[in-house]
């Protein structure tokens, strides 16, 4: 797999292309791109069969190792790739360590080992174990092992020198650690560039500890670090971040030159019964940035989540039906909400690429920022109004 | 060709020359249904996380919904406003609703049957007592708009009186247990009412439908109307009861068991870490086409998608079994099919007595 930057005049925002993909030469993926966040090999609530009803375009699945650790032994006996094993052979895969939708518990590192918290408890990974996993999973892309910790002392020491045939074909990305200390970040970048000449891209790691909090992380807090790191990175390489960034933060990160994100934001919205409704096309009229389908007012609302949305959930199912499914705790509720959220988020990224092409990203960003601000104010004032009621 | 707006047209297409099994076509307002049929249970207007699009693709023609649950949430008003349950849940196939009465008696210990109706404690937070009268049950079932609705024999006449949509919804009376009196009511109603288009029987276990009792019940049922055995759905029960002449079945088991990570197979269990075979090599469902036992083993009971994947297979399994039964009746080899099925299940020929007796009563002898 190769990454090429298309509009090389600007450092950022930029368009790029992932191409020459091993075994899938007809597939090209445009950046800025959003990886489909998975747990246990699936988009939460959406089977691969159902996802085909959402999109038929080629996708990259983000595979958090923490959710696949229980297959570690099984995969050593399996001949195929991880995308075949999880039942989605046409998808590309990107192996990462932590699950961006869950808060990463911090733990003490034992020498060169990094802790991950699986459902069976803490497991320590060292470089050897990790590279064994990469070799047996055979993903299309993977990140080198890093602790991703936000504490400042993280150093770039866990880089493997092993080069098997499998690894040669895989697109490798190096995490840049160093927390919020610009000097540490610089040291990390220097070390990576000196040791790893053939990495295809980078991950700006250690900006947060994953989980739903990232949505509310003020962008100003990360801006300087991201800007500084991107300035020091070779411009021809792919630059990625992970986590549940809200759409405004995504736009600002794209403006700085980030090429790759993930859909963990869709999961945290779905888990709180919320559907994204922010307008993407200029003609779209929506009254809210997102709506919470649990609210009683939707009980007899037989309109779709969004009239202008073409997704399966919006074309066949009403807010009232989803509200009913939520009140009776049926499994189909998160399925329908997730179908819409993923569809909407993929559309959002398509729009981002289109805006970069037309030089209109700033206009789009202003519009979305405005909507998001109004939404946050509404949420806050609703909270304040709700407060006294609780004491009755 | 009949052009009257009958809500149910039942045509027997083939009968077993040996036993009572038959293959029929049941034309309902929303769908033509091939019987013998297994109907999965979508209690609250949804089937275990499956999209109706997936169910259609599986070839599912009819499913159940629960009158009591839907009457509580979202309630008849919302269902009426939504234009009925079919529209509300986006299901184009046929629907059947139970009476909401009898089932509740077995579900809730606090339920009490009086002449007026069924009185029970509501599932809502106030735990108030609710009286479900037959008229109310029919009102909810009319709001749901199912193709077939059920009513306890005891209140059949009151329900037929309250039924507001006889052109689009058929009522089946439910015969409970072995109540002789109820059978007599049915017999009378058969002659007095054209609105009864089929019959339902409730028993606690399939084995209660052993040969003699069933033959007795049969004398009360007209041959040209479908017979529905409620709450029965294990593979072996389906095979035996088809031989006895049952046309319709329902059971929560295949969908409920998926949640606990159980996949239906003719033999064997699914718990092998390094088993890269599908659940069932003969199954054409999308789960068996795309996933190995090893993968499913690693995600069951952890992620909701695993439940969806197993439900897909379990439904496909039930539908395939029913199709095999229908095909073998059509092709005049049903007794052989039954004998092979039972031998496969009990290679030691140690057949349970109720199975031997029931099948012997309809002239099928096991190998
Ligand atoms: Zn939608
Ligand atoms: Zn299957």
């Amino acid at each position: 797999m190769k990454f090429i930057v298309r509009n090389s005049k600007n450092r950022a925002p930029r368009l790029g292309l992932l191409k020459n993909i091993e075994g899938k030469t007809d597939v090209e993926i445009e950046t800025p791109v959003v990886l489909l966040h998975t747990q246990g090999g699936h988009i939460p609530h959406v089977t691969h069969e159902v996802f085909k009803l959402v999109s038929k375009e080629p996708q990259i699945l983000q595979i958090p190792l923490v959710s696949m650790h229980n297959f570690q032994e099984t995969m050593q006996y399996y001949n195929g790739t991880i995308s075949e094993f999880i039942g989605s052979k046409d998808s590309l895969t990107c192996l990462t360590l932590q699950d961006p939708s869950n808060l990463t518990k911090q733990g003490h590192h034992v020498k060169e080992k990094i802790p991950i918290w699986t459902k069976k408890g803490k497991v320590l990974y060292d470089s050897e174990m990790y590279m064994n996993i990469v070799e047996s999973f055979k993903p299309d892309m993977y990140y080198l092992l890093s602790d991703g910790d936000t504490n400042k002392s993280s150093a770039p020491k866990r880089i493997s020198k092993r080069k098997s045939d499998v690894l040669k074909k895989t697109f490798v990305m190096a995490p840049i650690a160093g927390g919020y200390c610009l000097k540490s970040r610089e040291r990390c970048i220097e070390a990576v560039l000196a040791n790893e000449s053939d990495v295809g891209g980078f991950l700006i790691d250690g900006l947060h500890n994953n989980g739903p909090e990232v949505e509310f992380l003020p962008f100003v807090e990360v801006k300087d670090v991201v800007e500084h790191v991107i300035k020091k990175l070779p411009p021809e390489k792919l630059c990625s971040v992970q986590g549940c960034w809200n759409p405004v933060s995504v736009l600002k990160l794209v403006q700085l030159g980030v090429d790759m994100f993930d859909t963990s934001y869709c999961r945290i919205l779905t888990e709180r019964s919320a559907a994204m409704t922010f307008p993407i096309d200029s003609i779209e009229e929506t009254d809210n940035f997102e709506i919470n389908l649990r609210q009683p007012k939707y009980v007899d609302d037989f309109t779709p989540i969004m009239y202008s949305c073409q997704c399966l959930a919006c074309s066949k199912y009403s807010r009232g039906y989803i509200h009913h499914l939520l009140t009776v705790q049926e499994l189909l509720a998160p399925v329908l909400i997730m179908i819409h959220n993923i569809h909407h988020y993929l559309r959002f990224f398509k729009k981002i690429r289109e805006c970069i092409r037309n030089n209109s990203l700033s206009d789009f960003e202003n519009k979305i920022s405005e909507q998001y601000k109004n939404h946050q104010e509404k949420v806050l004032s609703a909270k304040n109004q709700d407060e006294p009621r609780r004491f009755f | 060709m009949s052009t009257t707006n009958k809500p149910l047209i039942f045509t027997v297409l083939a009968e077993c020359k040996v036993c009572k099994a038959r293959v029929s076509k049941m034309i309902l307002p929303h769908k033509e249904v091939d019987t013998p049929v297994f109907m999965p249970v979508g209690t609250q207007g949804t089937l275990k996380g499956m999209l109706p699009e997936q169910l259609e693709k599986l070839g599912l023609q009819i499913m159940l919904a629960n009158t009591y649950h839907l009457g509580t949430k979202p309630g008849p008003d919302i269902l009426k406003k939504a234009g009925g349950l079919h529209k509300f849940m986006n299901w184009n196939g046929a629907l059947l609703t139970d009476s909401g009465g009898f089932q509740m008696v077995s579900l809730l210990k606090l339920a009490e049957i009086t002449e007026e109706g069924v009185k029970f404690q509501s599932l809502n937070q106030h735990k108030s007592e609710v009286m479900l009268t037959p008229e109310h049950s029919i009102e909810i079932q009319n709001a749901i708009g199912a193709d077939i609705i059920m009513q306890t024999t005891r209140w059949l006449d009151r329900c037929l009186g309250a039924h507001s949509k006889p052109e689009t919804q058929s009522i089946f009376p439910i015969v409970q247990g072995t109540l002789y009196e109820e059978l007599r009511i049915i017999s009378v109603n058969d002659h007095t009412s054209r609105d009864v288009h089929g019959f339902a029987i409730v028993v606690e276990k399939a084995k209660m439908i052993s040969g003699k009792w069933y033959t007795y019940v049969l004398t009360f049922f007209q041959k040209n109307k479908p017979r529905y055995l409620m709450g029965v759905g294990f593979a072996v029960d389906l095979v035996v009861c088809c031989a006895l002449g049952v046309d319709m079945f329902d059971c929560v088991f295949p969908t409920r068991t998926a949640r606990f990570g159980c996949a239906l197979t003719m033999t064997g269990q699914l718990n092998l870490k390094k088993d890269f075979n599908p659940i069932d090599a003969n199954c054409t469902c999308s789960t068996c086409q795309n996933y190995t036992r090893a993968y499913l083993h690693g995600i069951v009971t952890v992620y909701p998608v695993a439940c969806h994947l197993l439900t897909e297979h379990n439904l496909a399994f039930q539908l395939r079994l029913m199709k095999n039964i229908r095909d073998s009746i059509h092709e005049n080899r049903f007794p052989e099919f039954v004998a092979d099925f039972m031998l496969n299940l009990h290679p030691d020929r140690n057949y349970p007595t109720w199975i031997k007796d029931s099948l012997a009563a309809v002239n099928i002898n096991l190998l």
Side-chain angles (χ1 to χ4, degrees):
Chain A
M1 191 187 302
K2 231 175 83 184
F3 175 68
I4 55 160
V5 179
R6 278 173 148 181
N7 53 343
S8 46
K9 270 175 279 169
N10 324 0
R11 180 65 173 84
R14 62 191 200 164
L15 291 169
L17 202 60
L18 285 162
K19 55 189 278 186
N20 300 356
I21 298 160
E22 185 76 23
K24 294 184 173 83
T25 41
D26 52 331
V27 173
E28 292 188 340
I29 289 176
E30 290 185 289
T31 64
V33 66
V34 60
L35 308 186
L36 299 178
H37 161 253
T38 66
Q39 294 184 315
H42 269 89
I43 299 168
H45 306 288
V46 179
T47 64
H48 299 305
E49 290 69 40
V50 168
F51 184 75
K52 284 184 190 133
L53 305 172
V54 179
S55 167
K56 291 206 165 66
E57 281 167 36
Q59 304 287 348
I60 307 172
L61 303 178
Q62 179 191 46
I63 310 282
L65 173 59
V66 64
S67 74
M68 297 296 281
H69 169 74
N70 58 326
F71 290 118
Q72 177 212 23
E73 190 194 340
T74 302
M75 284 304 289
Q76 282 164 19
Y77 298 90
Y78 187 71
N79 285 326
T81 64
I82 190 67
S83 66
E84 287 163 339
F85 183 66
I86 62 175
S88 185
K89 59 181 186 322
D90 296 331
S91 298
L92 304 175
T93 49
C94 176
L95 184 71
T96 184
L97 193 65
Q98 306 290 359
D99 182 338
S101 72
N102 290 336
L103 181 71
T104 304
K105 268 199 251 175
Q106 299 302 299
H108 292 293
H109 306 152
V110 183
K111 284 182 188 164
E112 298 291 299
K113 291 183 176 175
I114 290 173
I116 60 167
W117 301 86
T118 72
K119 60 179 198 279
K120 287 195 179 132
K122 183 163 120 175
V123 179
L124 291 168
Y125 263 86
D126 61 16
S127 195
E128 183 73 18
M129 249 173 101
Y130 182 70
M131 294 318 282
N132 282 342
I133 285 270
V134 175
E135 278 177 334
S136 63
F137 278 32
K138 307 175 199 71
D140 298 282
M141 313 169 96
Y142 73 97
Y143 295 102
L144 293 167
L145 192 62
S146 144
D147 57 19
D149 210 328
T150 47
N151 70 44
K152 297 177 178 92
S153 57
S154 310
K157 58 199 168 194
R158 300 180 178 95
I159 290 166
S160 169
K161 284 282 149 209
R162 189 153 47 150
K163 286 283 173 246
S164 71
D165 278 353
V166 169
L167 297 180
K168 263 183 228 153
K169 292 175 191 162
T170 316
F171 191 87
V172 191
M173 289 175 284
I176 303 298
Y180 285 85
C181 167
L182 302 184
K183 279 272 163 302
S184 304
R185 292 277 179 181
E186 273 178 37
R187 276 199 303 274
C188 181
I189 293 168
E190 278 161 26
V192 168
L193 293 179
N195 289 318
E196 296 285 325
S197 53
D198 53 354
V199 292
F202 301 93
L203 166 70
I204 309 179
D205 210 3
L207 294 171
H208 52 71
N209 289 324
N210 297 314
E213 285 170 16
V214 177
E215 179 186 6
F216 304 108
L217 185 64
F219 185 74
V220 285
E221 283 183 20
V222 299
K223 185 172 180 277
D224 287 350
V225 182
V226 174
E227 217 165 18
H228 193 77
V229 169
I230 290 181
K231 216 184 290 167
K232 301 276 171 190
L233 290 176
E236 71 280 8
K237 306 276 185 181
L238 183 80
C239 176
S240 66
V241 295
Q242 292 185 336
C244 316
W245 305 95
N246 67 54
V248 179
S249 297
V250 168
L251 285 163
K252 291 184 188 294
L253 288 164
V254 169
Q255 294 278 29
L256 295 180
V258 176
D259 306 299
M260 200 159 100
F261 299 81
D262 62 72
T263 58
S264 51
Y265 179 68
C266 299
R267 178 188 174 221
I268 59 157
L269 253 74
T270 304
E271 298 299 335
R272 64 168 184 249
S273 312
M276 294 178 206
T277 51
F278 62 88
I280 291 174
D281 287 322
S282 47
I283 43 153
E284 274 181 302
E285 291 276 331
T286 67
D287 37 8
N288 275 302
F289 197 81
E290 66 177 61
I291 60 173
N292 193 306
L293 290 157
R294 222 172 251 285
Q295 286 176 7
K297 65 175 171 186
Y298 296 116
V299 69
D300 60 351
D301 184 343
F302 301 115
T303 64
I305 295 171
M306 268 182 107
Y307 266 119
S308 49
C309 181
Q310 307 285 314
C311 85
L312 177 70
C314 291
S315 49
K316 296 279 178 85
Y317 303 87
S318 68
R319 295 171 172 191
Y321 180 58
I322 300 171
H323 174 82
H324 162 70
L325 295 172
L326 285 167
T327 46
V328 297
Q329 296 176 17
E330 279 283 355
L331 289 170
L332 193 61
V335 173
L336 291 172
I337 300 174
M338 196 63 163
I339 285 174
H340 169 79
N341 282 345
I342 295 273
H343 184 270
H344 197 76
Y345 214 55
L346 289 173
R347 258 180 81 204
F348 174 58
F349 272 83
K350 202 170 176 188
K351 176 72 176 181
I352 289 174
R353 294 189 294 269
E354 192 187 299
C355 287
I356 299 174
R357 217 168 275 130
N358 314 331
N359 272 321
S360 60
L361 193 65
S362 296
D363 293 344
F364 186 51
E365 187 201 322
N366 290 339
K367 215 174 91 185
I368 298 287
S369 300
E370 181 82 1
Q371 290 254 350
Y372 189 67
K373 216 177 84 198
N374 291 342
H375 169 68
Q376 293 302 346
E377 279 166 10
K378 247 192 260 179
V379 171
L380 282 176
S381 73
K383 249 194 197 149
N384 292 338
Q385 273 172 16
D386 276 346
E387 223 71 303
R389 276 190 220 144
R390 285 191 204 151
F391 299 102
F392 279 95
Chain B
M1 284 294 278
S2 163
T3 49
T4 53
N5 17 344
K6 261 182 137 183
L8 188 151
I9 298 166
F10 186 74
T11 317
V12 177
L13 304 176
E15 286 172 290
C16 177
K17 303 254 185 317
V18 177
C19 67
K20 307 264 184 219
R22 65 221 193 132
V23 176
S24 315
K25 180 140 283 211
M26 182 167 65
I27 303 175
L28 298 172
H30 289 87
K31 193 85 187 172
E32 288 190 20
V33 176
D34 298 306
T35 70
V37 63
F38 172 79
M39 307 179 288
V41 183
T43 307
Q44 323 218 54
T46 170
L47 195 71
K48 289 282 167 273
M50 302 281 287
L51 289 161
E53 283 82 353
Q54 294 173 280
L55 301 173
E56 252 163 56
K57 217 172 148 195
L58 272 170
L60 189 71
Q61 296 168 325
I62 180 168
M63 73 162 106
L64 252 71
N66 186 289
T67 303
Y68 172 75
H69 283 95
L70 290 169
T72 312
K73 270 178 189 170
D77 291 345
I78 297 293
L79 286 166
K80 268 182 222 161
K81 273 196 215 171
L85 182 59
H86 283 96
K87 270 201 189 142
F88 190 53
M89 68 179 288
N90 182 38
W91 171 241
N92 301 317
L95 279 171
L96 183 150
T97 40
D98 54 43
S99 71
F102 173 78
Q103 284 78 357
M104 295 321 298
V105 183
S106 56
L107 249 165
L108 298 172
K109 287 175 191 76
L110 294 169
E112 178 194 338
I113 302 187
T114 67
E115 255 331 294
E116 196 189 339
V118 182
K119 189 161 78 180
F120 48 81
Q121 208 174 60
S122 164
L123 293 179
N124 68 29
Q125 53 202 13
H126 310 297
K127 296 258 183 277
S128 50
E129 279 201 339
V130 176
M131 172 66 80
L132 188 64
T133 64
E135 287 80 9
H136 188 51
S137 159
I138 287 296
E139 190 209 331
I140 300 171
Q141 296 195 71
N142 284 157
I144 294 171
D147 300 72
I148 298 173
I149 64 186
M150 312 299 292
Q151 196 42 248
T152 327
T153 317
R154 185 200 287 248
W155 295 311
L156 189 58
D157 285 329
R158 273 167 76 185
C159 290
L160 289 171
H163 190 15
S164 65
K165 296 179 177 171
E167 288 84 34
T168 52
Q169 296 183 281
S170 299
I171 293 192
F172 282 25
I174 307 171
V175 181
Q176 294 173 23
T178 56
L179 297 176
Y180 177 69
E181 194 194 344
E182 298 208 7
L183 291 169
R184 293 200 22 177
I185 296 171
I186 282 199
S187 177
V188 172
N189 274 314
D190 269 354
H191 301 292
T192 55
S193 167
R194 269 172 291 152
D195 292 331
V196 174
H197 289 112
F199 303 98
I201 318 158
V202 175
V203 288
E204 260 169 52
K205 281 182 181 142
K207 59 174 82 170
M208 282 172 68
I209 300 271
S210 51
K212 268 185 197 152
W213 183 82
Y214 188 74
T215 342
Y216 174 67
V217 171
L218 264 187
T219 59
F220 288 94
F221 290 173
Q222 289 148 302
K223 222 182 143 188
N224 59 354
K225 293 188 178 178
R227 306 154 190 163
Y228 166 24
L229 181 56
M230 300 175 81
V232 167
F234 290 107
V236 61
D237 300 345
L238 295 171
V239 172
V240 172
C241 295
C242 279
L244 300 179
V246 175
D247 304 299
M248 301 159 73
F249 303 88
D250 81 275
C251 186
V252 291
F253 171 70
T255 44
R256 187 170 287 171
T257 196
R259 214 172 73 212
F260 306 111
C262 182
L264 300 178
T265 57
M266 284 299 174
T267 48
Q269 280 288 310
L270 157 69
N271 57 5
L272 300 155
K273 233 180 169 178
K274 294 166 204 165
D275 185 345
F276 301 121
N277 294 305
I279 299 169
D280 180 346
N282 297 319
C283 182
T284 55
C285 85
S286 65
T287 300
C288 291
Q289 297 307 302
N290 295 307
Y291 305 91
T292 62
R293 293 177 175 208
Y295 175 62
L296 294 169
H297 172 77
I299 61 167
V300 286
T301 69
V302 184
Y303 300 107
V305 286
C307 175
H308 306 173
L309 295 174
L310 291 191
T311 301
E312 169 100 21
H313 166 76
N314 287 355
L315 286 174
F317 177 91
Q318 297 286 104
L319 296 175
R320 184 160 51 107
L321 175 63
M322 298 317 285
K323 189 178 184 304
N324 290 343
I325 290 174
R326 289 194 302 269
D327 289 351
S328 66
I329 299 171
H330 258 303
E331 292 158 18
N332 230 338
R333 50 176 178 83
F334 182 66
E336 292 84 353
F337 172 87
V338 176
D340 288 344
F341 179 92
M342 294 301 168
L343 184 63
N344 186 33
L345 211 60
H346 302 280
D348 54 358
R349 292 186 166 77
N350 209 348
Y351 303 113
T353 318
W354 81 273
I355 292 179
K356 260 197 304 202
D357 292 352
S358 302
L359 292 173
V362 290
N363 312 315
I364 295 182
N365 296 311
L366 295 175
L367 296 170

